Amino acid sequence: MYRLEEPGYFLLLAIIPLMIAVFLLVFWWKKRTQRKFSNALLLKKIAPNSSIFKASLKLTMLLLAITFLSISLVNPKMGSKLETVKREGVDVVFALDVSKSMLAEDIAPNRLEKAKQIISKIIDNLGSDRIGIIVYAGNSYPLLPITTDHAAANMFLQNAYPDMVSSQGTAINEALELAKSYYNNDEQTNRFLIIISDGEDHQEESKEVAQNLMNEGIKIFTIGVGTDKGGPIPIRMKGTITGYKKDGKGETVITKRNVAILENIADVGEGKYIDGNITENPVNEISEIIANAEKNEFETKQFSDYKDQFQWFLAIAILFLLLDAFMFDKKTKWVRKIDLFNEEKTK
């Protein structure tokens, strides 16, 4: 397991394309100027030791030095020991609706991205709580099992899209049933299930499933994204909208948020429905509820004794800088002695 102490230093890598662009621009300017001065054959005789390859190689060495220097400044740390530690927290499972209707852009940038923003910000506000993520559409899928690794949760969350679920629709019942398997601590007093959806196509039977979860001590909160007016579902090809989803009659489908069903599920689950169109509202409310909840002690395994690894990358950077410093732009002597085309004999 590794950590990046100062990931901001990766911004130094932006210098690399700039240096390549300057090198190419200077190379073009030199060639243009040389053509005005003389022809290629004469230039070769005037400057026989000139080497484009050596200049390119020196630039490569310098760029590699900058790359490894940037990584050394970031200071990767490697966990050297896995140990079991005791922590306090609650279990929070997010059920994210990734059906096609979540691609509607009635809120910016679209419902799905808004939902992911909400989940990500809630995760950032959590302490040592364990989290899990379920995605669902026509069926449900365990995106991330219960874990204390919040960084991994955010990473997996960004990859949640409708295409990852094999069938479309809204299988909220299946997602609720799957959520049961996430909570493995029967003694835990506070367990939370947070559903983020537009509420469209959710079944009435969901209330019965929600009641079963509530009986097992799982509180259900729902967050609705989308507008009552609704919007069309865009069809994209390589990032460009090529049209909108149509029904069997050829008319554009307008998807609307269904607040009523989400409120019913939250009421049965002894939780609360929260409007998610303004990100701060659900983030602040859910974060406060979890922060004030009674915590339970649990054991988890984590890496410890993280050791700095910057010195290895710094040593490689210095090596490339030395190679660049001792390398000349001119052709190497032994290379000049090689007469590949028998030019000396033809003189």
Side-chain angles (χ1 to χ4, degrees):
M1 190 65 180
Y2 68 91
R3 271 184 197 158
L4 302 178
E5 188 174 45
E6 297 290 343
Y9 282 108
F10 275 130
L11 293 174
L12 290 175
L13 296 177
I15 297 173
I16 292 176
L18 181 62
M19 292 182 66
I20 293 173
V22 171
F23 175 80
L24 293 174
L25 185 63
V26 171
F27 176 74
W28 171 81
W29 174 78
K30 283 183 177 180
K31 285 293 181 183
R32 184 165 174 252
T33 305
Q34 288 171 353
R35 283 197 297 268
K36 289 181 179 180
F37 175 73
S38 181
N39 58 50
L41 184 60
L42 184 58
L43 284 172
K44 190 175 181 180
K45 292 182 178 180
I46 296 173
N49 297 330
S50 177
S51 174
I52 298 173
F53 171 76
K54 291 293 286 293
S56 302
L57 188 58
K58 278 179 64 66
L59 177 67
T60 302
M61 295 294 178
L62 183 59
L63 296 181
L64 287 171
I66 293 173
T67 300
F68 283 99
L69 182 61
S70 300
I71 297 174
S72 70
L73 290 171
V74 170
N75 190 16
K77 292 187 173 185
M78 194 71 68
S80 59
K81 185 170 67 175
L82 186 64
E83 63 180 17
T84 301
V85 296
K86 290 187 176 182
R87 304 176 71 173
E88 284 190 343
V90 299
D91 286 348
V92 184
V93 176
F94 296 94
L96 174 62
D97 184 355
V98 292
S99 57
K100 293 286 187 182
S101 64
M102 291 290 285
L103 297 178
E105 299 176 347
D106 51 345
I107 56 172
N110 61 43
R111 296 176 186 177
L112 181 57
E113 290 303 317
K114 173 65 74 172
K116 291 197 285 188
Q117 287 175 12
I118 293 169
I119 296 174
S120 180
K121 288 183 179 294
I122 292 174
I123 291 173
D124 290 341
N125 289 342
L126 297 179
S128 57
D129 306 291
R130 294 186 295 192
I131 53 178
I133 302 176
I134 295 169
V135 293
Y136 69 93
N139 50 30
S140 62
Y141 176 77
L143 184 67
L144 181 73
I146 205 82
T147 180
T148 55
D149 192 341
H150 295 181
N154 275 318
M155 182 180 68
F156 276 89
L157 178 65
Q158 299 312 311
N159 295 323
Y161 287 98
D163 293 340
M164 73 187 311
V165 179
S166 57
S167 62
Q168 284 301 307
T170 311
I172 181 63
N173 289 352
E174 189 177 330
L176 291 172
E177 290 291 345
L178 179 60
K180 287 183 184 180
S181 65
Y182 270 65
Y183 307 99
N184 52 17
N185 185 355
D186 294 332
E187 297 179 357
Q188 191 169 36
T189 56
N190 281 301
R191 293 180 283 181
F192 298 92
L193 173 61
I194 301 171
I195 300 170
I196 304 94
S197 172
D198 55 18
E200 192 172 62
D201 296 333
H202 286 55
Q203 307 101 315
E204 285 296 325
E205 311 89 74
S206 301
K207 290 187 288 185
E208 297 179 12
V209 184
Q211 180 70 49
N212 293 334
L213 266 69
M214 189 273 292
N215 293 338
E216 295 186 19
I218 301 170
K219 295 179 181 179
I220 304 174
F221 291 81
T222 58
I223 300 173
V225 290
T227 62
D228 298 332
K229 182 180 178 181
I233 303 172
I235 299 172
R236 293 181 179 273
M237 184 69 69
K238 295 182 179 180
T240 303
I241 296 177
T242 57
Y244 293 92
K245 186 178 179 180
K246 299 183 183 299
D247 58 19
K249 298 179 181 178
E251 297 180 356
T252 301
V253 174
I254 301 298
T255 171
K256 300 178 181 180
R257 180 177 61 174
N258 187 343
V259 174
I261 189 66
L262 294 174
E263 287 178 334
N264 289 338
I265 293 173
D267 288 341
V268 172
E270 293 190 347
K272 182 181 180 181
Y273 167 77
I274 306 170
D275 189 313
N277 288 347
I278 299 176
T279 306
E280 288 74 15
N281 292 345
V283 170
N284 293 337
E285 284 202 51
I286 297 294
S287 299
E288 184 177 357
I289 290 168
I290 294 174
N292 295 328
E294 182 182 345
K295 309 294 182 179
N296 287 82
E297 189 177 82
F298 57 86
E299 291 185 347
T300 183
K301 293 185 181 294
Q302 67 179 35
F303 280 95
S304 62
D305 292 339
Y306 281 84
K307 295 182 179 179
D308 295 335
Q309 304 295 324
F310 74 92
Q311 61 272 15
W312 304 106
F313 299 97
L314 182 60
I316 297 173
I318 292 173
L319 174 63
F320 281 120
L321 285 173
L322 290 173
L323 289 172
D324 178 72
F326 288 103
M327 188 180 295
F328 298 102
D329 289 330
K330 296 179 180 180
K331 289 181 180 178
T332 310
K333 289 184 177 180
W334 66 267
V335 173
R336 294 203 310 265
K337 292 178 181 179
I338 300 175
D339 189 13
L340 294 176
F341 303 102
N342 297 319
E343 291 177 349
E344 294 295 330
K345 294 180 180 180
T346 58
K347 288 181 179 179

PDB file of all heavy atoms in Angstrom, residues 236-255:
ATOM      1  N   ARG A 236     -25.247   9.919 -26.468  1.00  0.00           N
ATOM      2  CA  ARG A 236     -23.947  10.470 -26.840  1.00  0.00           C
ATOM      3  C   ARG A 236     -23.120   9.476 -27.634  1.00  0.00           C
ATOM      4  O   ARG A 236     -23.175   8.277 -27.397  1.00  0.00           O
ATOM      5  CB  ARG A 236     -23.162  10.899 -25.598  1.00  0.00           C
ATOM      6  CG  ARG A 236     -23.784  12.074 -24.861  1.00  0.00           C
ATOM      7  CD  ARG A 236     -22.957  12.482 -23.645  1.00  0.00           C
ATOM      8  NE  ARG A 236     -23.536  13.605 -22.950  1.00  0.00           N
ATOM      9  CZ  ARG A 236     -23.293  14.877 -23.250  1.00  0.00           C
ATOM     10  NH1 ARG A 236     -22.443  15.163 -24.230  1.00  0.00           N
ATOM     11  NH2 ARG A 236     -23.864  15.851 -22.580  1.00  0.00           N
ATOM     12  N   MET A 237     -22.339  10.015 -28.552  1.00  0.00           N
ATOM     13  CA  MET A 237     -21.381   9.236 -29.322  1.00  0.00           C
ATOM     14  C   MET A 237     -20.050   9.971 -29.285  1.00  0.00           C
ATOM     15  O   MET A 237     -19.928  11.072 -29.821  1.00  0.00           O
ATOM     16  CB  MET A 237     -21.853   9.072 -30.773  1.00  0.00           C
ATOM     17  CG  MET A 237     -20.948   8.191 -31.622  1.00  0.00           C
ATOM     18  SD  MET A 237     -20.981   6.460 -31.140  1.00  0.00           S
ATOM     19  CE  MET A 237     -22.649   6.011 -31.641  1.00  0.00           C
ATOM     20  N   LYS A 238     -19.067   9.363 -28.584  1.00  0.00           N
ATOM     21  CA  LYS A 238     -17.744   9.977 -28.418  1.00  0.00           C
ATOM     22  C   LYS A 238     -17.842  11.369 -27.795  1.00  0.00           C
ATOM     23  O   LYS A 238     -17.173  12.305 -28.222  1.00  0.00           O
ATOM     24  CB  LYS A 238     -17.007  10.043 -29.756  1.00  0.00           C
ATOM     25  CG  LYS A 238     -16.680   8.668 -30.337  1.00  0.00           C
ATOM     26  CD  LYS A 238     -15.915   8.785 -31.640  1.00  0.00           C
ATOM     27  CE  LYS A 238     -15.576   7.400 -32.200  1.00  0.00           C
ATOM     28  NZ  LYS A 238     -14.832   7.488 -33.474  1.00  0.00           N
ATOM     29  N   GLY A 239     -18.728  11.493 -26.798  1.00  0.00           N
ATOM     30  CA  GLY A 239     -18.852  12.741 -26.058  1.00  0.00           C
ATOM     31  C   GLY A 239     -19.774  13.770 -26.687  1.00  0.00           C
ATOM     32  O   GLY A 239     -20.044  14.810 -26.087  1.00  0.00           O
ATOM     33  N   THR A 240     -20.284  13.499 -27.877  1.00  0.00           N
ATOM     34  CA  THR A 240     -21.158  14.452 -28.568  1.00  0.00           C
ATOM     35  C   THR A 240     -22.594  13.938 -28.572  1.00  0.00           C
ATOM     36  O   THR A 240     -22.831  12.754 -28.844  1.00  0.00           O
ATOM     37  CB  THR A 240     -20.688  14.665 -30.021  1.00  0.00           C
ATOM     38  OG1 THR A 240     -19.328  15.104 -30.007  1.00  0.00           O
ATOM     39  CG2 THR A 240     -21.548  15.713 -30.720  1.00  0.00           C
ATOM     40  N   ILE A 241     -23.543  14.810 -28.256  1.00  0.00           N
ATOM     41  CA  ILE A 241     -24.951  14.419 -28.264  1.00  0.00           C
ATOM     42  C   ILE A 241     -25.417  14.216 -29.705  1.00  0.00           C
ATOM     43  O   ILE A 241     -25.338  15.122 -30.535  1.00  0.00           O
ATOM     44  CB  ILE A 241     -25.827  15.483 -27.573  1.00  0.00           C
ATOM     45  CG1 ILE A 241     -25.452  15.605 -26.095  1.00  0.00           C
ATOM     46  CG2 ILE A 241     -27.308  15.131 -27.712  1.00  0.00           C
ATOM     47  CD1 ILE A 241     -26.212  16.677 -25.350  1.00  0.00           C
ATOM     48  N   THR A 242     -25.885  13.006 -29.995  1.00  0.00           N
ATOM     49  CA  THR A 242     -26.353  12.673 -31.354  1.00  0.00           C
ATOM     50  C   THR A 242     -27.878  12.615 -31.431  1.00  0.00           C
ATOM     51  O   THR A 242     -28.440  12.453 -32.506  1.00  0.00           O
ATOM     52  CB  THR A 242     -25.777  11.322 -31.804  1.00  0.00           C
ATOM     53  OG1 THR A 242     -26.149  10.303 -30.861  1.00  0.00           O
ATOM     54  CG2 THR A 242     -24.261  11.396 -31.897  1.00  0.00           C
ATOM     55  N   GLY A 243     -28.539  12.711 -30.279  1.00  0.00           N
ATOM     56  CA  GLY A 243     -29.993  12.666 -30.255  1.00  0.00           C
ATOM     57  C   GLY A 243     -30.487  12.457 -28.836  1.00  0.00           C
ATOM     58  O   GLY A 243     -29.726  12.553 -27.874  1.00  0.00           O
ATOM     59  N   TYR A 244     -31.801  12.173 -28.720  1.00  0.00           N
ATOM     60  CA  TYR A 244     -32.402  11.943 -27.417  1.00  0.00           C
ATOM     61  C   TYR A 244     -33.235  10.666 -27.456  1.00  0.00           C
ATOM     62  O   TYR A 244     -33.769  10.288 -28.511  1.00  0.00           O
ATOM     63  CB  TYR A 244     -33.268  13.138 -27.020  1.00  0.00           C
ATOM     64  CG  TYR A 244     -32.466  14.397 -26.780  1.00  0.00           C
ATOM     65  CD1 TYR A 244     -32.251  15.315 -27.817  1.00  0.00           C
ATOM     66  CD2 TYR A 244     -31.905  14.668 -25.541  1.00  0.00           C
ATOM     67  CE1 TYR A 244     -31.495  16.463 -27.602  1.00  0.00           C
ATOM     68  CE2 TYR A 244     -31.150  15.810 -25.312  1.00  0.00           C
ATOM     69  CZ  TYR A 244     -30.950  16.694 -26.352  1.00  0.00           C
ATOM     70  OH  TYR A 244     -30.198  17.831 -26.141  1.00  0.00           O
ATOM     71  N   LYS A 245     -33.306  10.015 -26.313  1.00  0.00           N
ATOM     72  CA  LYS A 245     -34.037   8.752 -26.235  1.00  0.00           C
ATOM     73  C   LYS A 245     -35.509   8.965 -26.584  1.00  0.00           C
ATOM     74  O   LYS A 245     -36.132   9.924 -26.130  1.00  0.00           O
ATOM     75  CB  LYS A 245     -33.904   8.165 -24.826  1.00  0.00           C
ATOM     76  CG  LYS A 245     -34.523   6.782 -24.690  1.00  0.00           C
ATOM     77  CD  LYS A 245     -34.322   6.218 -23.291  1.00  0.00           C
ATOM     78  CE  LYS A 245     -34.962   4.846 -23.170  1.00  0.00           C
ATOM     79  NZ  LYS A 245     -34.789   4.275 -21.821  1.00  0.00           N
ATOM     80  N   LYS A 246     -36.055   8.036 -27.382  1.00  0.00           N
ATOM     81  CA  LYS A 246     -37.450   8.143 -27.819  1.00  0.00           C
ATOM     82  C   LYS A 246     -38.218   6.906 -27.396  1.00  0.00           C
ATOM     83  O   LYS A 246     -37.648   5.833 -27.185  1.00  0.00           O
ATOM     84  CB  LYS A 246     -37.518   8.329 -29.332  1.00  0.00           C
ATOM     85  CG  LYS A 246     -36.817   9.594 -29.834  1.00  0.00           C
ATOM     86  CD  LYS A 246     -36.969   9.777 -31.332  1.00  0.00           C
ATOM     87  CE  LYS A 246     -36.204  11.008 -31.829  1.00  0.00           C
ATOM     88  NZ  LYS A 246     -36.705  12.247 -31.216  1.00  0.00           N
ATOM     89  N   ASP A 247     -39.533   7.057 -27.272  1.00  0.00           N
ATOM     90  CA  ASP A 247     -40.378   5.921 -26.911  1.00  0.00           C
ATOM     91  C   ASP A 247     -40.806   5.158 -28.161  1.00  0.00           C
ATOM     92  O   ASP A 247     -40.339   5.450 -29.279  1.00  0.00           O
ATOM     93  CB  ASP A 247     -41.591   6.383 -26.113  1.00  0.00           C
ATOM     94  CG  ASP A 247     -42.440   7.408 -26.878  1.00  0.00           C
ATOM     95  OD1 ASP A 247     -42.310   7.484 -28.126  1.00  0.00           O
ATOM     96  OD2 ASP A 247     -43.234   8.117 -26.232  1.00  0.00           O
ATOM     97  N   GLY A 248     -41.695   4.176 -27.993  1.00  0.00           N
ATOM     98  CA  GLY A 248     -42.139   3.352 -29.124  1.00  0.00           C
ATOM     99  C   GLY A 248     -42.863   4.134 -30.206  1.00  0.00           C
ATOM    100  O   GLY A 248     -42.932   3.696 -31.355  1.00  0.00           O
ATOM    101  N   LYS A 249     -43.393   5.306 -29.848  1.00  0.00           N
ATOM    102  CA  LYS A 249     -44.122   6.136 -30.821  1.00  0.00           C
ATOM    103  C   LYS A 249     -43.203   7.137 -31.521  1.00  0.00           C
ATOM    104  O   LYS A 249     -43.656   7.931 -32.345  1.00  0.00           O
ATOM    105  CB  LYS A 249     -45.249   6.891 -30.117  1.00  0.00           C
ATOM    106  CG  LYS A 249     -46.298   5.978 -29.499  1.00  0.00           C
ATOM    107  CD  LYS A 249     -47.376   6.803 -28.797  1.00  0.00           C
ATOM    108  CE  LYS A 249     -48.419   5.886 -28.154  1.00  0.00           C
ATOM    109  NZ  LYS A 249     -49.452   6.672 -27.430  1.00  0.00           N
ATOM    110  N   GLY A 250     -41.928   7.098 -31.169  1.00  0.00           N
ATOM    111  CA  GLY A 250     -40.972   8.010 -31.800  1.00  0.00           C
ATOM    112  C   GLY A 250     -40.918   9.380 -31.153  1.00  0.00           C
ATOM    113  O   GLY A 250     -40.283  10.294 -31.679  1.00  0.00           O
ATOM    114  N   GLU A 251     -41.559   9.536 -30.002  1.00  0.00           N
ATOM    115  CA  GLU A 251     -41.550  10.814 -29.302  1.00  0.00           C
ATOM    116  C   GLU A 251     -40.438  10.834 -28.247  1.00  0.00           C
ATOM    117  O   GLU A 251     -40.131   9.797 -27.638  1.00  0.00           O
ATOM    118  CB  GLU A 251     -42.901  11.071 -28.638  1.00  0.00           C
ATOM    119  CG  GLU A 251     -44.052  11.196 -29.644  1.00  0.00           C
ATOM    120  CD  GLU A 251     -45.374  11.455 -28.949  1.00  0.00           C
ATOM    121  OE1 GLU A 251     -45.386  11.464 -27.690  1.00  0.00           O
ATOM    122  OE2 GLU A 251     -46.378  11.643 -29.648  1.00  0.00           O
ATOM    123  N   THR A 252     -39.869  12.009 -28.045  1.00  0.00           N
ATOM    124  CA  THR A 252     -38.773  12.150 -27.086  1.00  0.00           C
ATOM    125  C   THR A 252     -39.258  11.880 -25.665  1.00  0.00           C
ATOM    126  O   THR A 252     -40.277  12.422 -25.229  1.00  0.00           O
ATOM    127  CB  THR A 252     -38.160  13.565 -27.161  1.00  0.00           C
ATOM    128  OG1 THR A 252     -37.674  13.789 -28.489  1.00  0.00           O
ATOM    129  CG2 THR A 252     -37.009  13.721 -26.178  1.00  0.00           C
ATOM    130  N   VAL A 253     -38.521  11.023 -24.944  1.00  0.00           N
ATOM    131  CA  VAL A 253     -38.872  10.681 -23.571  1.00  0.00           C
ATOM    132  C   VAL A 253     -38.451  11.814 -22.636  1.00  0.00           C
ATOM    133  O   VAL A 253     -37.318  12.284 -22.699  1.00  0.00           O
ATOM    134  CB  VAL A 253     -38.179   9.368 -23.138  1.00  0.00           C
ATOM    135  CG1 VAL A 253     -38.430   9.077 -21.666  1.00  0.00           C
ATOM    136  CG2 VAL A 253     -38.656   8.214 -24.008  1.00  0.00           C
ATOM    137  N   ILE A 254     -39.370  12.249 -21.799  1.00  0.00           N
ATOM    138  CA  ILE A 254     -39.060  13.252 -20.783  1.00  0.00           C
ATOM    139  C   ILE A 254     -39.090  12.568 -19.426  1.00  0.00           C
ATOM    140  O   ILE A 254     -40.112  12.020 -19.012  1.00  0.00           O
ATOM    141  CB  ILE A 254     -40.070  14.417 -20.797  1.00  0.00           C
ATOM    142  CG1 ILE A 254     -40.077  15.111 -22.166  1.00  0.00           C
ATOM    143  CG2 ILE A 254     -39.734  15.417 -19.688  1.00  0.00           C
ATOM    144  CD1 ILE A 254     -38.757  15.746 -22.552  1.00  0.00           C
ATOM    145  N   THR A 255     -37.964  12.569 -18.740  1.00  0.00           N
ATOM    146  CA  THR A 255     -37.870  11.925 -17.434  1.00  0.00           C
ATOM    147  C   THR A 255     -37.978  12.967 -16.328  1.00  0.00           C
ATOM    148  O   THR A 255     -37.354  14.027 -16.392  1.00  0.00           O
ATOM    149  CB  THR A 255     -36.534  11.157 -17.307  1.00  0.00           C
ATOM    150  OG1 THR A 255     -36.371  10.711 -15.966  1.00  0.00           O
ATOM    151  CG2 THR A 255     -35.332  12.018 -17.684  1.00  0.00           C
TER     152      THR A 255
END
